[in-house]
Each structure stands twice: as structure tokens, then as C-alpha cells.
Amino acid sequence: MKVVLCQEFPLGRFHATPWRVNPFDDPHGEWPPSPWRFVRAVTARWYQWAREAGREPDIAYLERLLTALCRSTYGFHLPTDARKGSPLRQYHPTEFGWRPAGKKKAGTRSYGTSLVQDNYWCVPPEAPLWWLIEGDSWTPELVESLERCLARMTYFGRAETLTTIRLAGAGEAPECNCRLVEQRATSAVPVLSLIHISE
């Protein structure tokens, strides 16, 4: 079964660094968004949906949804106008303590700051990113559950990345212009993906 998703970034940016990569060592930013990030976002929204319904989450059903995502192949239609943005530097709070250091000479207690590099991609708000997901584990019930999770997704990547993402019809999507493959070509950018290990 083919599952097509249409994702938009209303503020025109997708802020993300690949999983466990130091932002200062990241020349590309995360583009396309990784299926690993997508599965984590779907899982979080699954638990939100369970809390809203006031019931215990059905973990076995969640595992079926995650298995379908992990056994799928991923292709994309990336917006042709998307561009890597110039890295920003932002101050993030660090440890709480005396400022300046040393209680005898310090005047106040506050958070220290650390300058962190913020990598992002500029994505025109009117140019959606299309996810083309295909796999044999999908059922109509799992697709419906995925749709409920997507309806609760308000950001993707760092909190600055507001998003809308919805289920779309196969006829809506343009042709795939980016496909994830296991063997990296010389010009390819690494993207963290998923693998399902059978028991």
C-alpha cells in the first residue's frame, strides 16, 4: 500500500540537525527530514491521542503502526525552491549558578548561556514536501490511526518548526525526486532511516 503525506512549513523554515550530530559539524542540515524523526513524532502524537481519549494506550496496536513505518520504503518530492539557510547562532541556557562564578564576588544566581549553531532549511510555505511511503504492512485501520496522529502534529524538528501534515491522495502528489537508498552515492547526504528486525 502507498501512503502519501503532504507537509507544509508555514513559517518557511525547517530547523533540524541529524540525530546525534553536533550542529557545528553538520554541513548539510537534515534534508530531507529523516524517517527516524517522523516515527518519533508519530509516537509522541499517538500518546497524546490516548491521553485525549482518556484511555490507556494500546501498545500492541502502536507497535503495529511503528512496524508498518519501519518496514516501509521512503521517497519524497522535495520542493525545488528549498535552500539551506545560513546558520544562526542562538544562546541556550546551561547550568544554574552564581554570576560571575564564585559566591563571594557574585551578585546574582542565574543561568549561564551557551552559543549553539542553528541549522535550518528555507522551505517556501506554499511549496509542500511530499512523503511517499510504501509498504506491505499497511491496513486501512493503520492509515486511519496515522491520520489521527498527523492531525495532532504542530511542530516537526525543533520547536521553531511549525508544520501542518496531512494524508493525501496518491493522485495529488508529484513524482518522486528523492529516494532513500541503503548504499550512499558520492553526492548523497546521509539521512537516518529505520529498519525492522524480525524476531
Side-chain angles (χ1 to χ4, degrees):
M1 177 183 277
K2 188 171 187 176
V3 179
V4 177
L5 308 178
C6 177
Q7 184 172 27
E8 296 174 315
F9 301 100
L11 299 183
R13 285 185 180 180
F14 170 59
H15 294 257
T17 299
W19 183 253
R20 302 188 83 171
V21 172
N22 185 321
F24 292 100
D25 298 331
D26 175 25
H28 306 292
E30 185 177 281
W31 190 252
S34 73
W36 171 243
R37 183 178 302 280
F38 180 67
V39 167
R40 288 169 40 223
V42 167
T43 303
R45 299 294 68 87
W46 169 274
Y47 282 103
Q48 178 185 345
W49 176 27
R51 286 191 306 271
E52 289 172 4
R55 58 179 165 74
E56 284 295 314
D58 183 347
I59 301 301
Y61 195 82
L62 173 60
E63 286 178 359
R64 285 181 55 212
L65 176 58
L66 297 181
T67 297
L69 288 166
C70 291
R71 286 183 174 166
S72 294
T73 59
Y74 288 81
F76 301 89
H77 180 87
L78 303 177
T80 55
D81 293 338
R83 298 287 182 266
K84 186 175 184 319
S86 298
L88 302 172
R89 303 282 199 273
Q90 298 196 33
Y91 284 101
H92 286 202
T94 58
E95 73 286 340
F96 188 77
W98 291 102
R99 303 283 175 260
K103 189 171 181 178
K104 291 186 179 178
K105 57 184 175 182
T108 61
R109 291 189 66 178
S110 63
Y111 284 98
T113 55
S114 174
L115 197 57
V116 175
Q117 182 166 301
D118 182 8
N119 299 318
Y120 63 92
W121 274 73
C122 298
V123 185
E126 68 282 357
L129 163 68
W130 296 89
W131 293 72
L132 310 169
I133 303 170
E134 291 188 65
D136 295 332
S137 300
W138 290 99
T139 64
E141 293 78 20
L142 289 176
V143 172
E144 183 181 344
S145 296
L146 177 63
E147 188 172 23
R148 289 177 183 265
C149 295
L150 298 178
R152 290 159 173 80
M153 207 175 288
T154 55
Y155 72 92
F156 190 75
R158 285 194 286 279
E160 298 91 343
T161 305
L162 296 181
T163 194
T164 60
I165 184 167
R166 65 176 175 83
L167 201 61
E172 287 184 67
E175 287 187 22
C176 177
N177 63 7
C178 175
R179 185 168 301 282
L180 299 189
V181 294
E182 287 186 36
Q183 298 297 322
R184 182 178 176 191
T186 54
S187 62
V189 174
V191 174
L192 191 61
S193 193
L194 312 144
I195 186 167
H196 181 268
I197 300 172
S198 298
E199 294 181 12

